[in-house]
Structures are given as structure tokens and as C-alpha cells.
Amino acid sequence: MATFSEVLARVKSEIREVSVDETKQQAVDTSGPVLIDVRERDEFEQGYIPGAQWIPRGFLELKVEDAVSDRDQEVIVYCAGGTRSALAAKALAELGYTRVSSMAGGFRAWKNAGFPFERPRVMSADQIKRYSRHIMLPEVGEAGQGKLLDAKVLCLGAGGLGSPSSLYLAAAGVGTIGMVDDDVVDESNLQRQVIHNTERLGMPKVESARMTLQALNPDVEIVPHRTRLTSENILDILEGYDVIVDGADNFPTRYLLNDAALKLGKPVVHASIYRFEGQVTAFLPDQGPCYRCLYPDPPPPGMAPSCQDAGVLGVLPGIVGSLQAAEALKIILGIGDSLSGRLLVYDALRTKFRTLKLRKDPDCRVCSKPHDSIELIDYEAFCSIGG
């Protein structure tokens, strides 16, 4: 019978080991190896190599394919001292990974060398349980969930679109959600604005939304802004948020938001609904078209009736608002393909999605300018004479 020392010596003779100096030199290259930390949670919480993916040794064989799909990708695994990583490197080689190394000396040697390391956001046991389905996703994991908990999203409107989008953002653990709305809950809202209820008729919508969202997830801080956005207050309100979810139902606010968000460099997830159709897109500063690229001028008054005038299928904003929430989460996490440069159109009567390509206007009167030169105008007057 071989002793563990003998087994380990044999394993190390069969794998490739790299020093911490070699690892650091390769890690700075964006096309360099994938670093995998195979230590346990309590060890990982004490610090990790920047950019490393955390997969505890007991889950490595189960989860590595999600983290590294290309078996020819270079991979460096490390543990505390180099023993578990050697065994992990052997296991990965047996799974068909062709360029696997173990970092000799482990994280202990990395720290002793004075190399930089980071500490992860430490979630409570309750948070780990609440967000467990997110944490299981390799594209999210604990690091991604930490980004969501640190994120600040502003929902413009606590109505049809703001209701589902804010509900799912709160459920996902977005740490701070601002709600902008100056209206009160009306009986006609309840057909589609699911964040409110009959007992709150006459209550300010932002207060009703705050009660619902905090009851759903006490982790989330809700910041109510009971006001209407104007050229005087919008920059101060938007400044403190990372992403804006646009549920506005009028043209002056949409143009105002577009110009202010561009001026501040804030991404906007835009949507609109009408009768049985909804539209969703994302406006990312300097990465695609803006709202004015699509609509340089507003339509003449009366040519684009609102839901109040034309009606809307109650479930439609639930579908479209949920798509907005998904888009906002992707922007925060930095994953997937955003809708920037694309308009997603949903037809509820035909149960049909279409995607239209949007192009940036090189001569756009707003987004073609430097951000700091954008001036906010009288948008009520602009929309009253548009077209």
C-alpha cells in the first residue's frame, strides 16, 4: 500500500508545477491562463488572487466545464500550499484538459512574495441561501452576487413597467433601488401595476413600492423620489445610480432622460408599451445609438396616444418590464449580449418576438457631442412643437 506522501510525489511527477513568479507574470496578460482557486470557503474569504475563479476542490470535476469549456485553454490551479492543487491538476488532466499547472507553494507563497490579493465580499448564511440559485450560475457566482448587492439602479416610474422590473431587481438582490414617481395609487392602476394593491389607494406610488419591495427582500434599500424629473433635478438624482431603468410614459421625460444620462455617462434600459405591443432596448453611452438617434424629433401632439388613451393588455408590462430587469442585471454583471443597437419588439397577440437593428446617427444632435457639452433644454416646449 502506498502512503499519501508517495501518492503525492507520484502525482507531482506527472503534472506541471509553476512558481508564483511565473503565475504573476502570466496573470497580467488578458489572454493568459484561467486561475482556479480550489480552497474551501473560509480560506477563500481570507483573500484570493485577483481574477481567480473559486471552485472548491470537492466541486471541481462537477463545475470546471462551466468555468473552462475549452480543454486546450491554459489553466493554473492553486490551493493554500500546493497539495490540493496538485491533485486537482491531475484530475483535470484526466478530464482531458491539456494545459494544466499547479501553483507551487499555493496562496501562502503568493502572499509571502508580497503579491497583491483581494478579499471577496462576505455574504451571510441567510444571503447565501437566498441567492443560492444565482450563486450556482458560473456567470454569476458569489462575486457576481456581490456586484448586485453593491449596485444602485434607478427605476423611472412605479407604474406598469416599474412594477415588474423593480420587483425582479429587488428579488435578485440589487442593493439600492431608487423609485421616481410623483403619482398616487389609483384603482385603474391595479390592472397592471402589480407592485400596488387595493389597500393602498391614494398612497404615493413610491411609498407603496417601497413597502412591497422591502417586504420582498429586506437586503435592499429603497430610495423614494416623489417628484417629477425636470432639467433642474435630474442630474442630481441620476448621479448616484449605476443603471437607469426607463418606464416613462411621456416624450418630454424620455428626451430629458436620454440627454441627462448621456451627459453623465449612465446606461439606460428603455422600454415602451402600447395596447398589445412592447419594445425594449438599451442605450449604452459611447457604445451604440441613443434615443435621439431613433427619434430625432417627437411626434406631433396627439399622434402617439398613451396607454391612458388607447389601453394596454394588463400582462404586457409584466413581460416587458421583466425583460428590462434582465437587461439591467446583465449590464451590472457584465455578462451576455446587451440590447444596445437592437430593438426587441414583442407582439402579445401573435406571441412573436422580432429584433430590429438600430444604427447610431453620426450626426446626432446629442450623442455626437462631447458629454460635458450637452445642455438640458425645455423639453415640454420641445415636445409640444416637435414634428
Side-chain angles (χ1 to χ4, degrees):
M1 293 285 282
T3 66
F4 177 74
S5 297
E6 292 171 336
V7 171
L8 179 61
R10 184 171 68 249
V11 166
K12 287 195 172 187
S13 70
E14 297 172 353
I15 65 166
R16 179 173 179 264
E17 285 191 300
V18 293
S19 67
V20 293
D21 295 290
E22 291 175 280
T23 302
K24 183 177 185 300
Q25 187 175 4
Q26 294 182 67
V28 298
D29 187 349
T30 55
S31 61
V34 176
L35 299 179
I36 298 180
D37 187 323
V38 297
R39 296 172 300 158
E40 298 304 311
R41 174 182 296 279
D42 60 330
E43 299 173 291
F44 182 74
E45 290 175 353
Q46 299 305 310
Y48 64 93
I49 299 175
Q53 299 190 47
W54 177 51
I55 309 177
R57 177 64 190 90
F59 293 92
L60 183 64
E61 288 86 348
L62 293 173
K63 295 186 174 182
V64 69
E65 291 179 353
D66 291 326
V68 189
S69 58
D70 181 2
R71 282 175 164 74
D72 293 323
Q73 168 72 50
E74 185 173 2
V75 177
I76 297 177
V77 290
Y78 71 89
C79 60
T83 298
R84 283 169 291 174
S85 61
L87 298 171
K90 174 69 172 175
L92 293 181
E94 291 175 350
L95 285 175
Y97 287 86
T98 59
R99 302 170 64 198
V100 185
S101 305
S102 169
M103 189 175 78
F107 187 66
R108 191 180 305 118
W110 180 275
K111 285 182 67 176
N112 290 340
F115 295 153
F117 64 92
E118 297 176 356
R119 285 190 171 89
R121 181 190 182 110
V122 179
M123 288 189 283
S124 67
D126 288 342
Q127 287 177 322
I128 291 171
K129 185 174 182 179
R130 176 183 284 270
Y131 306 119
S132 61
R133 299 305 187 271
H134 269 178
I135 293 170
M136 290 177 184
L137 297 171
E139 296 84 355
V140 182
E142 289 197 38
Q145 188 61 51
K147 290 182 181 179
L148 295 177
L149 289 165
D150 291 335
K152 297 180 179 181
V153 175
L154 180 68
C155 291
L156 179 50
L161 292 169
S163 290
S165 59
S166 63
L167 280 167
Y168 275 104
L169 291 171
V174 171
T176 302
I177 298 176
M179 302 290 295
V180 179
D181 204 304
D182 66 345
D183 202 1
V184 297
V185 180
D186 181 83
E187 197 167 17
S188 65
N189 303 147
L190 303 181
Q191 162 253 14
R192 64 202 176 281
Q193 298 180 19
V194 293
I195 205 168
H196 312 300
N197 61 50
T198 305
E199 295 178 355
R200 299 180 191 164
L201 294 177
M203 179 182 293
K205 285 185 178 180
V206 291
E207 178 59 22
S208 173
R210 184 193 64 78
M211 294 169 65
T212 300
L213 297 178
Q214 290 197 323
L216 173 64
N217 189 351
D219 270 353
V220 179
E221 178 186 2
I222 309 301
V223 181
H225 301 275
R226 192 186 177 192
T227 186
R228 191 174 187 84
L229 289 182
T230 67
S231 297
E232 288 70 40
N233 66 16
I234 190 168
L235 296 178
D236 289 336
I237 292 175
L238 264 58
E239 183 68 45
Y241 294 93
D242 306 311
V243 180
I244 295 91
V245 175
D246 174 18
D249 61 358
N250 63 86
F251 287 104
T253 303
R254 289 172 183 163
Y255 283 101
L256 170 63
L257 174 63
N258 178 78
D259 296 359
L262 282 170
K263 188 175 183 70
L264 295 174
K266 304 285 185 178
V268 175
V269 181
H270 167 77
S272 62
I273 51 175
Y274 176 72
R275 292 173 57 84
F276 300 97
E277 184 175 284
Q279 302 180 351
V280 190
T281 188
F283 300 123
L284 306 184
D286 304 320
Q287 294 186 37
C290 75
Y291 187 76
R292 281 183 182 261
C293 292
L294 277 61
Y295 310 107
D297 296 296
M303 289 298 292
S306 67
C307 294
Q308 183 176 351
D309 302 317
V312 62
L313 185 67
V315 72
L316 179 65
I319 297 167
V320 176
S322 297
L323 290 170
Q324 280 186 287
E327 198 68 13
L329 294 177
K330 284 160 49 186
I331 292 172
I332 294 166
L333 293 168
I335 61 174
D337 298 323
S338 82
L339 280 172
S340 177
R342 295 181 293 151
L343 180 70
L344 183 65
V345 180
Y346 173 64
D347 183 338
L349 284 181
R350 296 172 178 79
T351 316
K352 186 175 181 180
F353 284 95
R354 292 179 296 143
T355 303
L356 307 178
K357 188 174 181 61
L358 306 177
R359 287 182 169 80
K360 185 179 179 70
D361 179 1
D363 300 317
C364 175
R365 66 186 69 167
V366 177
C367 73
S368 64
K369 298 179 179 179
H371 293 178
D372 57 4
S373 69
I374 296 173
E375 296 183 2
L376 305 185
I377 62 174
D378 183 338
Y379 293 90
E380 295 286 347
F382 172 68
C383 290
S384 68
I385 62 173

